[in-house]
Amino acid sequence: MFTHFTTIVNSLKNLGTNYSNQELVRKILRCLPRSWTPKVTAIEEAKDLTILPFEQLLSSLMTHETTMKNHENVEVKNKKSIALKASKEESENDEEGDMELITSQFKKFLKSKK
């Protein structure tokens, strides 16, 4: 996102439109997704946006993104898995049951591909 933003800002500078550091910081904070609202609020309250350098904002947001990814990885690792025991019962309709199982799995596959 920052690369695209910087490219756009540089292109605008080439066309004669200049933005102050404060405007750039505010534009970045406004375009962040809702999941970043707590971080945006913290930055707005803790720092003076009139003097906050764009590079410092960038590093702060990148640090927060790294932290969020690490927390997601930890949550995925901590999920409990459930193991099921399978038992096989003899039946006359064993072939019919196999065909139903294959058919249902194929239908699920087709739904997931849609």
Side-chain angles (χ1 to χ4, degrees):
M1 177 186 89
F2 290 110
T3 305
H4 292 293
F5 183 77
T6 305
T7 303
I8 292 169
V9 169
N10 289 338
S11 297
L12 288 170
K13 280 182 184 177
N14 289 337
L15 293 173
T17 306
N18 288 322
Y19 290 102
S20 68
N21 188 59
Q22 179 183 1
E23 289 174 312
L24 296 176
V25 168
R26 289 191 185 277
K27 286 183 186 298
I28 286 290
L29 292 176
R30 271 196 318 255
C31 75
L32 291 171
R34 277 206 166 122
S35 60
W36 287 69
T37 302
K39 183 62 176 178
V40 170
T41 304
I43 289 172
E44 289 174 344
E45 290 179 358
K47 303 191 187 258
D48 184 8
L49 297 182
T50 58
I51 59 172
L52 178 65
F54 181 72
E55 294 78 18
Q56 187 177 354
L57 173 68
L58 172 66
S59 65
S60 176
L61 293 176
M62 288 176 70
T63 302
H64 181 67
E65 182 180 29
T66 305
T67 304
M68 285 176 32
K69 284 182 181 179
N70 287 340
H71 287 296
E72 287 175 7
N73 290 339
V74 169
E75 288 176 6
V76 168
K77 288 180 183 177
N78 288 339
K79 284 188 178 181
K80 293 182 179 179
S81 61
I82 299 173
L84 302 175
K85 289 186 178 181
S87 62
K88 185 171 182 174
E89 296 178 8
E90 297 293 327
S91 71
E92 295 174 4
N93 299 329
D94 198 27
E95 288 180 8
E96 214 173 280
D98 288 344
M99 187 58 126
E100 288 176 12
L101 178 64
I102 292 170
T103 304
S104 67
Q105 288 177 346
F106 185 69
K107 286 180 182 178
K108 286 180 186 177
F109 171 76
L110 289 177
K111 283 181 182 178
S112 70
K113 291 300 177 182
K114 287 182 182 177

